Amino acid sequence: MTDRYILLVEDDLEDVEFARLAFQEAGNAPALEVARDGADALDFLLLRGPHAGRPPIPPVLVLLDLKLPKLGGLELLRRIREHPRLRSLAVIVLTSSQLEAEIAEARRLGVLLYSRKPQGREQFLELARHIHSLISSESALP
């Protein structure tokens, strides 16, 4: 693991692969670490369980799907915001959900962006380029 990386919290293997390829193609973007469910993501961020030995370097950004097994995305986001060491993490929600209540709650919890999940390679590449420009500009992130 490098000291600059993005944590992608996503359970759909096809979306994980699209994201990996898009960030590679976008060039000079941070590495991509993947958690396949909300519970694993929380363990990753809190250095618990199978992640206990990893370096305590936080991601520059969390890309979060809301529909996750074990621990849903909104609950993960709440726990991130409640934790003193994690609360300032930049989070972008990528989801297929357009439920107003979920959008409102994600915004209340301070997401950087709430976006529909990209469909296919080209949309993931466009998103990866946008994210790369955000994290390249230090002032764009909290």
Side-chain angles (χ1 to χ4, degrees):
M1 176 189 307
T2 66
D3 59 344
R4 285 185 49 86
Y5 68 95
I6 293 170
L7 176 61
L8 172 63
V9 187
E10 174 61 66
D11 63 323
D12 184 296
L13 288 175
E14 186 175 45
D15 287 346
V16 168
E17 190 57 27
F18 279 137
R20 280 191 197 284
L21 292 172
F23 279 101
Q24 287 172 355
E25 194 170 326
N28 203 23
L32 194 65
E33 295 289 329
V34 177
R36 299 287 312 282
D37 60 63
D40 186 47
L42 191 59
D43 285 346
F44 183 93
L45 292 168
L46 294 175
L47 309 169
R48 301 187 306 203
H51 307 288
R54 77 169 188 79
I57 301 167
V60 294
L61 179 71
V62 176
L63 291 177
L64 178 62
D65 184 12
L66 292 186
K67 305 295 184 200
L68 295 168
K70 297 186 182 177
L71 181 67
L74 283 176
E75 182 58 28
L76 174 60
L77 184 55
R78 279 185 204 96
R79 293 188 189 187
I80 287 171
R81 295 302 184 232
E82 291 169 355
H83 194 280
R85 186 172 53 81
L86 303 177
R87 73 172 41 118
S88 64
L89 281 177
V91 177
I92 293 178
V93 169
L94 300 176
T95 186
S96 56
S97 174
Q98 290 300 302
L99 295 174
E100 289 300 321
E102 288 183 344
I103 295 169
E105 181 64 4
R107 289 197 173 125
R108 186 188 73 74
L109 291 166
V111 296
L112 187 61
L113 177 66
Y114 186 101
S115 177
R116 287 198 52 90
K117 190 183 290 189
Q119 301 297 308
R121 183 186 163 280
E122 285 304 314
Q123 287 184 2
F124 269 101
L125 182 56
E126 184 179 318
L127 175 69
R129 287 180 177 142
H130 179 67
I131 288 171
H132 184 266
S133 69
L134 281 176
I135 60 179
S136 295
S137 167
E138 294 298 322
S139 62
L141 296 177

